[in-house]
């Protein structure tokens, strides 16, 4: 799942590792997501909860963990892409400097023109690494709280797409506060991705 609405969204600022907070609407959405997860996961099931350590995800994971009865495990490798000097600046600042990747050729290590920004290759490899560690635990139900951009590599790693093939891939759900269900069947061990698997009901 991705964290719900945060202050950098409403303020028009670049997120990345900029440590924004959930808005009041985001906090209500986190509670609705937690309730939806609680309704879907059996009370007696084994559950693990992993989260990016940034405040907007940590707060979301805390709300979810309280309802599921599990403490979050925080890991900085689940953070959003680092935008270097652009973080916390207006989106227009980034747009003026951003160099889009080429249509063909080297896309994973492409320099986007922003000092100290993370390359797509570095971003993907750290998310792949944490997903490998999570999968090794073999818990029946695992909840991962991350960011919109990082979601692509959470899914790509889980379906075992080679990281070298991730230059053109993007998996997006329904915006902030989205829940994606990743399911492996018990017989064939195929992996199914349900983007926008459910939309929590949020009370105004």
């Amino acid at each position: 799942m991705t964290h719900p609405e945060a202050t950098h969204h409403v303020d028009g600022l670049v997120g990345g590792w900029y440590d924004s907070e959930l808005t009041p609407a985001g906090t209500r959405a986190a509670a609705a997501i937690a309730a939806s997860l609680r309704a879907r996961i059996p009370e007696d099931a084994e559950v693990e909860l992993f989260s990016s350590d940034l405040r907007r995800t940590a707060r979301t994971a805390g709300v979810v963990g309280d309802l599921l009865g599990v403490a979050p495990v925080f890991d900085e490798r689940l953070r959003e892409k680092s935008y270097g000097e652009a973080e916390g600046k207006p989106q227009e600042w980034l747009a003026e400097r951003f160099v889009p990747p080429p249509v063909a050729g080297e896309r994973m290590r492409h320099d986007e023109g922003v000092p100290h920004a993370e390359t797509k290759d570095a971003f993907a490899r750290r998310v792949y690494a944490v997903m490998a560690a999570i999968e090794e635990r073999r818990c029946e139900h695992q909840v991962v709280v991350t960011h919109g951009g990082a979601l692509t590599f959470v899914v790509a790693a889980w379906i075992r797409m080679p990281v070298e093939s991730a230059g053109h891939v993007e998996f997006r759900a329904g915006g902030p506060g989205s829940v994606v269900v990743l399911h492996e069947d018990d017989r064939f061990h195929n992996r199914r991705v349900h983007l926008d698997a459910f939309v929590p009901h949020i009370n105004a």
Side-chain angles (χ1 to χ4, degrees):
M1 58 173 289
T2 62
H3 67 83
E5 183 184 80
T7 53
H8 75 276
H9 292 140
V10 297
D11 294 337
L13 303 179
V14 178
W17 291 12
Y18 175 65
D19 211 4
S20 59
E21 304 274 4
L22 290 183
T23 64
T27 300
R28 292 193 297 273
I33 292 166
S36 295
L37 290 173
R38 177 70 285 168
R40 285 176 163 256
I41 298 174
E43 292 281 351
D44 59 348
E46 182 185 12
V47 182
E48 292 179 333
L49 174 59
F50 304 91
S51 175
S52 158
D53 63 339
L54 296 176
R55 284 183 289 189
R56 55 194 184 270
T57 40
R59 173 61 179 149
T60 304
V63 173
V64 171
D66 286 347
L67 203 54
L68 295 182
V70 61
V73 175
F74 297 109
D75 196 312
E76 65 181 13
R77 293 175 295 177
L78 286 168
R79 288 183 179 187
E80 184 60 283
K81 169 183 162 65
S82 171
Y83 285 94
E85 289 187 9
E87 288 168 358
K89 289 184 168 63
Q91 286 285 350
E92 293 80 5
W93 190 96
L94 175 59
E96 290 170 0
R97 293 160 176 80
F98 183 76
V99 179
V103 174
E106 180 52 68
R107 292 173 57 87
M108 293 295 284
R109 295 177 179 84
H110 168 72
D111 182 351
E112 297 176 345
V114 178
H116 310 300
E118 196 172 28
T119 64
K120 192 171 188 178
D121 183 72
F123 181 24
R125 288 183 187 279
R126 68 169 163 85
V127 176
Y128 271 57
V130 69
M131 286 301 294
I134 289 170
E135 281 200 64
E136 284 179 1
R137 299 175 64 91
R138 304 304 299 171
C139 180
E140 183 181 8
H141 295 274
Q142 294 173 311
V143 179
V144 176
V145 184
T146 189
H147 306 260
L151 176 65
T152 283
F153 299 123
V154 167
V155 175
W158 190 77
I159 64 172
R160 298 182 179 167
M161 175 183 289
V163 69
E164 297 80 10
S165 301
H168 286 272
V169 70
E170 181 180 43
F171 293 105
R172 291 280 179 173
S178 299
V179 178
V180 174
V181 174
L182 307 177
H183 178 261
E184 180 178 309
D185 74 74
D186 294 331
R187 184 175 185 186
F188 298 103
H189 301 286
N190 292 324
R191 295 191 163 194
R192 185 181 306 156
V193 179
H194 300 266
L195 294 169
D196 292 331
F198 64 95
V199 179
H201 176 71
I202 302 170
N203 294 320

